[in-house]
């Protein structure tokens, strides 16, 4: 399974887009996270969700595969479009990591 995934669904003339990416957490400790952004294809993401941490990329990949299967069952199709929301997801990951570090959680 790739570490990036883009899914689209057209409904009532609107195209909904979901982008997911698997990233290693800072620190090189073997922990990985899954980020998903969703919104209209022509705009900014309206929701960004973070899941994890996962011990190794294989765990994160299996969760991503399950999410992709579920969304494809709801009518989403995999797209070859380039990722357009990487910066939004990177910023969300930074916010989450900062919150964890401030609260004293060791990664």
């Amino acid at each position: 399974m790739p570490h990036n995934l883009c899914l689209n669904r057209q409904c009532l003339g609107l195209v909904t887009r979901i982008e997911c990416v698997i990233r290693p957490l800072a620190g090189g400790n073997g922990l990985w996270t899954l980020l998903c952004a969703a919104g209209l294809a022509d705009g900014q993401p309206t929701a960004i969700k973070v899941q994890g941490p996962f011990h190794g990329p294989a765990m994160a990949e299996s969760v991503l595969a399950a999410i992709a299967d579920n969304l494809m069952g709801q009518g989403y199709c995999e797209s070859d479009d380039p990722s357009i929301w990487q910066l939004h997801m990177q910023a969300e990951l930074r916010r989450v990591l900062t919150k964890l570090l401030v609260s004293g959680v060791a990664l």
Side-chain angles (χ1 to χ4, degrees):
M1 170 128 248
H3 285 206
N4 292 324
L5 180 66
C6 180
L7 300 167
N8 290 326
R9 180 178 74 173
Q10 189 166 4
C11 182
L12 301 174
L14 298 174
V15 178
T16 304
R17 176 184 186 95
I18 298 176
E19 287 184 23
C20 298
V21 63
I22 297 171
R23 299 252 175 160
L25 289 178
N29 53 10
L31 295 177
W32 290 68
T33 190
L34 169 62
L35 297 105
C36 293
L40 295 178
D42 294 334
Q44 303 293 322
T46 54
I48 301 176
K49 300 293 182 185
V50 180
Q51 290 191 337
F54 301 101
H55 294 280
M59 281 183 86
E61 289 169 1
S62 69
V63 172
L64 177 57
I67 290 170
D69 286 345
N70 184 288
L71 290 170
M72 287 181 195
Q74 296 179 40
Y76 282 85
C77 298
E78 196 166 348
S79 172
D80 292 331
D81 292 345
S83 178
I84 59 173
W85 294 335
Q86 288 287 333
L87 292 176
H88 296 84
M89 289 188 280
Q90 182 74 26
E92 181 64 20
L93 182 57
R94 237 183 249 126
R95 274 191 288 278
V96 168
L97 290 175
T98 300
K99 212 182 268 189
L100 288 173
L101 291 173
V102 167
S103 67
V105 174
L107 294 178

